[in-house]
């Protein structure tokens, strides 16, 4: 019996070891420092240092897309943009100089405590969302599936990272305190105010790179205000070329499918409308461009941004689309550069949206 107990304890220690070494609590993330081994290794899960770096990039206006604590393409693109703007070699690789520059952008902690509210738990949620567009049209709303998805999107992190930072939390009790990314929430009052006159800090020009799958917002002096990863068209349905203009910004849009779009898998012969919500095909924002059917919008799948192509439109995470919506107004020019995806890379990676 004693041998069995010892063996069981040893197994538990082995299982607990990796979890403890990759601990993602408030202290481990906020006190994380640069480690080349940590950054360049291939851990099974998210790393505290990368969580911190991604949050700092997000807060500085260089969105890494969905914060997941991993060294992915969106993180590398955001870091390269940050490096270029701060006089560093634009490699997209995190080094000591880039870490120091990032850490110098703020004195505020990267993660903080958040108390779950009754409103968070109230939803309303849409637990089952069908895959087919025609079936979506029968739903009254396209809400979050659950509170975990809602909170993850609110704090710009993946649901997996939210759970990793709060391993004992069940997300069912108001008043519970959880660890979240300390990121800014968009001031949506700016959207309405910008319709009257451009507010200070607003964008006067957008640039969308069809090759690098990025969107940049610039102010009147040419300074980069915000950098976003984006899904930009496909070979089958390419994004526009040249320069268009923003016509209007629509928050909480519904989505109308036109049969002439001829999306793969959609058999409807007549237009139909899908209700608003964060899991609507265009997410929480539609920024209309002055070309039929073209726009910049959110997405129900933030983890796929710039990793999948779109059906012609420009897709951002919901939170990035909301941020962009606060910066733009009617008449802002949108310039498309690059050639876009090549045929060999298009079809397997097209998301069914727009």
């Amino acid at each position: 019996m004693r041998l069995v107990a010892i063996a069981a304890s040893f197994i538990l220690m082995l299982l607990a070891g990796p979890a403890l070494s990759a601990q993602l609590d408030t202290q481990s993330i906020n006190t994380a420092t640069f480690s080349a081994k940590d950054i360049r290794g291939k851990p099974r899960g998210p790393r505290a240092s990368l969580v911190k770096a991604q949050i700092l990039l997000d807060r500085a206006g260089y969105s890494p897309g969905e914060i997941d604590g991993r060294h992915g393409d969106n993180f590398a693109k955001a870091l390269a943009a940050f490096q270029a703007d701060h006089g560093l070699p634009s490699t997209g690789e995190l080094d000591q100089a880039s870490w120091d520059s990032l850490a110098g952008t703020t004195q505020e902690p990267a993660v903080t405590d958040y108390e779950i509210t009754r409103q968070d738990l109230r939803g309303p949620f849409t637990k089952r969302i069908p895959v087919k567009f025609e079936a979506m049209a029968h739903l009254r709303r396209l809400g979050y599936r659950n509170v975990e998805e809602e909170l993850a999107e609110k704090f710009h992190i993946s649901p997996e990272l939210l759970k990793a930072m709060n391993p004992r939390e069940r997300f069912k009790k108001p008043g519970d305190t959880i660890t979240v990314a300390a990121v800014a929430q968009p001031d949506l009052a700016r959207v309405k105010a910008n319709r009257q006159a451009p507010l200070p800090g607003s964008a006067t020009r957008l640039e969308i790179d069809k090759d690098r799958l990025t969107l940049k917002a610039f102010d009147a002096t040419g300074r980069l205000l915000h950098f976003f990863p984006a899904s930009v068209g496909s070979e089958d349905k390419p994004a526009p070329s040249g320069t268009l203009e923003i016509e209007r910004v629509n928050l909480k849009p519904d989505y109308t499918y036109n049969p002439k779009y001829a999306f793969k898998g959609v058999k409807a012969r007549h237009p139909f409308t899908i209700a608003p919500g964060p899991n609507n095909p265009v997410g929480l924002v539609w920024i209309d461009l002055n070309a039929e059917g073209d726009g910049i919008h959110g997405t129900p799948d933030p983890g796929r941004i710039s990793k999948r192509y779109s059906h012609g439109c420009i897709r951002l995470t919901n939170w990035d689309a909301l941020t962009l919506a606060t910066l733009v107004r009617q008449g802002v020019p949108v310039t498309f550069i690059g050639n876009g995806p090549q045929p060999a890379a298009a079809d397997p990676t097209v998301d069914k949206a727009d």
Side-chain angles (χ1 to χ4, degrees):
M1 291 296 292
R2 184 178 179 185
L3 289 176
V4 172
I6 293 173
S9 298
F10 180 69
I11 292 172
L12 287 173
M13 287 176 64
L14 289 177
L15 292 174
L20 291 173
S21 65
Q23 192 171 7
L24 290 171
D25 58 18
T26 300
Q27 182 178 3
S28 65
I29 296 172
N30 284 336
T31 61
T33 57
F34 175 74
S35 166
K37 181 179 179 180
D38 197 28
I39 299 300
R40 295 170 186 167
K42 295 183 178 180
R44 295 180 180 178
R47 292 293 189 179
S49 55
L50 289 175
V51 172
K52 183 175 181 178
Q54 290 173 347
I55 293 170
L56 294 179
L57 280 170
D58 184 290
R59 291 211 310 237
Y62 303 84
S63 171
E66 187 177 63
I67 295 168
D68 59 6
R70 301 171 186 270
H71 199 306
D73 289 342
N74 286 341
F75 170 64
K77 286 192 288 190
L79 180 58
F82 175 87
Q83 290 167 329
D85 279 355
H86 290 77
L88 299 166
S90 184
T91 63
E93 292 292 329
L94 189 59
D95 54 23
Q96 188 68 60
S98 300
W99 179 275
D100 292 343
S101 187
L102 265 175
T105 60
T106 180
Q107 298 299 314
E108 298 298 320
V111 295
T112 188
D113 292 338
Y114 175 79
E115 188 175 290
I116 297 175
T117 68
R118 294 187 182 277
Q119 181 59 46
D120 293 329
L121 299 172
R122 190 175 297 132
F125 301 111
T126 307
K127 293 183 179 180
R128 295 180 179 83
I129 298 177
V131 174
K132 291 186 177 294
F133 276 21
E134 296 97 327
M136 288 184 191
H138 296 293
L139 299 178
R140 296 178 58 186
R141 66 176 65 87
L142 275 294
Y144 293 110
R145 293 176 178 85
N146 50 53
V147 68
E148 293 97 321
E149 186 180 63
E150 176 188 43
L151 290 172
E153 186 157 299
K154 181 174 183 176
F155 297 105
H156 308 183
I157 59 182
S158 69
E160 293 75 20
L161 180 58
L162 176 69
K163 293 174 183 177
M165 292 194 299
N166 301 279
R168 296 178 179 83
E169 179 61 49
R170 299 185 68 186
F171 305 98
K172 291 184 177 181
K173 184 179 178 183
D176 279 0
T177 299
I178 61 174
T179 300
V180 298
V183 292
Q185 302 299 321
D187 180 9
L188 298 183
R190 286 181 58 99
V191 176
K192 183 177 180 180
N194 247 336
R195 292 172 185 162
Q196 309 303 318
L199 297 176
S202 292
T204 59
R205 178 174 68 89
L206 304 185
E207 180 183 279
I208 295 171
D209 192 320
K210 296 190 287 185
D211 294 331
R212 297 185 179 183
L213 303 179
T214 62
L215 187 156
K216 296 179 180 179
F218 298 92
D219 68 9
T221 69
R223 180 175 66 94
L224 179 65
L225 289 174
H226 274 273
F227 170 94
F228 307 103
S231 296
V232 187
S234 65
E235 188 273 338
D236 183 51
K237 295 185 182 296
S241 296
T243 299
L244 299 176
E245 288 186 356
I246 291 175
E247 288 206 328
R248 68 179 184 277
V249 176
N250 186 6
L251 300 178
K252 297 182 181 179
D254 56 24
Y255 174 77
T256 299
Y257 177 77
N258 190 326
K260 73 178 183 180
Y261 297 160
F263 289 174
K264 185 177 180 180
V266 183
K267 300 179 181 180
R269 296 183 179 181
H270 302 283
F272 59 86
T273 299
I274 297 174
N279 278 308
N280 177 289
V282 294
L284 290 173
V285 184
W286 174 264
I287 300 174
D288 198 31
L289 303 179
N290 63 334
E292 184 181 2
D294 288 326
I296 305 168
H297 62 83
T299 180
D301 297 304
R304 293 183 175 184
I305 289 298
S306 95
K307 301 171 187 176
R308 298 285 185 99
Y309 293 110
S310 72
H311 279 292
C313 285
I314 299 85
R315 192 181 309 146
L316 309 174
T317 66
N318 274 337
W319 56 88
D320 284 344
L322 286 169
T323 297
L324 182 62
T326 69
L327 301 175
V328 298
R329 65 192 305 266
Q330 184 180 23
V332 170
V334 182
T335 300
F336 292 83
I337 64 174
N339 298 315
Q342 300 303 307
D347 289 344
T349 56
V350 173
D351 274 347
K352 189 176 73 173
D354 336 311

